[in-house]
């Protein structure tokens, strides 16, 4: 079993680890494109504006996958949108399809759509049981996915609105930046550099929100969007096993 995952603030990584106990969990951000074959292949990813993160879409487009059973689980703050349909569409271009698709709601890291502390605690507390239900379906080789039309236009409109209204594409570091380099180290796209004692952002962002939530001094802004001690969110991941 191979599970490919992408995660900005930990939701998808947590779900992938739990679904992949005893298998191979592969971080898409650290994986080269290639040909992958196994009895079972899974994908776990967050939903961005109703679709796949660019980094996930590009990885699936550039790689090939062969398995008897292929599934995907989308982590989201509300709805999976077209993310599962998009995964199925990309796989069908390669002669395969999605056998099983599901979503799991976890605290939203988007800042615009805040998850209340009460709901956050409830979602995290119930995560294990919900993941076990997904794993039971997968182990039972449930077939539940028929695909459908992917609404790319709607996704582009949503991204355009977020850039226009909130300035999401304008990422800066304030004078509070201590040049610790944590954001640059964590960026899955190598989009951040430390120059002249401050974080500088390039144009290759996949919108994972990892840097803004994990900055220890909350120096990073995405246009009008900022976080503080109360609104910053990182999944409380369990420690990784030593092996």
């Amino acid at each position: 079993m191979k599970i490919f995952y992408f995660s900005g603030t930990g939701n998808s990584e947590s779900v992938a680890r739990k679904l992949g106990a005893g298998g191979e969990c592969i971080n898409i951000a650290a994986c080269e494109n290639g040909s992958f074959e196994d009895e079972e292949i899974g994908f776990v990813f967050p939903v961005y504006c109703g679709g796949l993160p660019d980094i996930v879409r590009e990885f699936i487009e550039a790689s090939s996958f062969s398995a008897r059973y292929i599934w995907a689980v989308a982590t989201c703050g509300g709805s999976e949108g077209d993310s599962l349909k998009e995964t199925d569409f990309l796989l069908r271009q390669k002669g395969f399809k999605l056998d099983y698709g599901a979503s799991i709601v976890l605290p939203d890291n988007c800042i615009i759509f805040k998850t209340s502390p009460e709901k956050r605690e409830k979602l995290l507390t119930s995560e294990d049981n919900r993941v076990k239900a997904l794993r039971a379906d997968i182990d039972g080789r449930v077939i539940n996915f028929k695909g459908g039309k992917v609404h790319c236009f709607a996704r582009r409109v949503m991204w355009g609105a977020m850039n226009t209204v909130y300035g999401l594409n304008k990422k800066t570091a304030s004078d509070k930046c201590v040049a610790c380099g944590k954001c640059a180290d964590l960026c899955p796209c190598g989009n951040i550099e430390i120059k002249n004692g401050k974080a500088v952002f390039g144009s290759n962002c996949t919108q994972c929100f990892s840097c803004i939530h994990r900055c220890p001094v909350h120096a990073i802004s995405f246009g009008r969007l900022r976080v503080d001690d109360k609104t910053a969110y990182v999944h409380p991941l369990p420690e990784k096993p030593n092996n």
Side-chain angles (χ1 to χ4, degrees):
M1 171 178 59
K2 288 184 176 67
I3 296 180
F4 298 91
Y5 74 90
F6 173 67
S7 190
T9 53
N11 285 345
S12 293
E13 181 178 356
S14 174
V15 172
R17 280 200 221 164
K18 292 169 183 175
L19 286 172
E24 185 180 5
C25 285
I26 302 168
N27 184 355
I28 288 174
C31 179
E32 293 186 2
N33 304 329
S35 297
F36 304 96
E37 183 175 355
D38 212 311
E39 182 71 17
E40 172 190 319
I41 286 179
F43 300 92
V44 183
F45 47 75
V47 179
Y48 291 173
C49 280
L52 290 173
D54 288 344
I55 193 171
V56 176
R57 183 184 306 109
E58 291 164 3
F59 174 73
I60 297 176
E61 286 176 334
S63 300
S64 61
F65 307 91
S66 177
R68 290 180 179 273
Y69 187 76
I70 303 179
W71 55 267
V73 171
T75 63
C76 54
S79 167
E80 75 266 19
D82 282 347
S83 62
L84 297 173
K85 294 177 184 177
E86 191 174 359
T87 305
D88 179 66
F89 174 81
L90 295 173
L91 290 171
R92 286 180 184 272
Q93 310 310 302
K94 303 169 184 299
F96 289 85
K97 62 182 178 64
L98 203 59
D99 295 303
Y100 177 83
S103 62
I104 177 169
V105 176
L106 286 168
D108 204 321
N109 78 349
C110 184
I111 306 172
I112 299 170
F113 310 106
K114 296 180 177 65
T115 303
S116 68
E118 296 78 18
K119 185 177 181 180
R120 182 185 293 185
E121 182 178 358
K122 182 178 179 180
L123 291 173
L124 292 173
T125 300
S126 64
E127 179 186 344
D128 282 358
N129 287 335
R130 290 182 290 145
V131 172
K132 286 178 182 177
L134 296 176
R135 187 68 247 182
D137 282 350
I138 294 168
D139 287 341
R141 294 297 188 257
V142 170
I143 305 293
N144 77 339
F145 203 80
K146 295 181 180 180
K149 186 176 181 180
V150 179
H151 300 89
C152 297
F153 178 74
R155 184 177 66 229
R156 289 196 293 268
V157 169
M158 290 177 68
W159 277 121
M162 291 177 73
N163 288 333
T164 300
V165 176
Y166 296 99
L168 183 67
N169 55 338
K170 298 175 182 177
K171 298 173 172 62
T172 57
S174 72
D175 290 338
K176 292 196 300 182
C177 178
V178 294
C180 66
K182 186 173 184 179
C183 56
D185 291 340
L186 290 169
C187 181
C189 300
N191 190 54
I192 306 173
E193 295 181 83
I194 304 299
K195 294 182 178 180
N196 300 320
K198 185 180 289 189
V200 177
F201 299 82
S203 58
N204 188 36
C205 179
T206 198
Q207 309 294 356
C208 73
F209 281 58
S210 178
C211 60
I212 193 171
H213 283 286
R214 296 179 189 270
C215 176
V217 293
H218 307 310
I220 296 172
S221 299
F222 291 2
R224 293 167 52 195
L225 302 181
R226 297 171 178 80
V227 300
D228 54 29
D229 288 339
K230 292 183 178 180
T231 56
Y233 171 72
V234 176
H235 189 287
L237 286 166
E239 290 296 322
K240 293 182 180 180
N242 292 329
N243 58 352

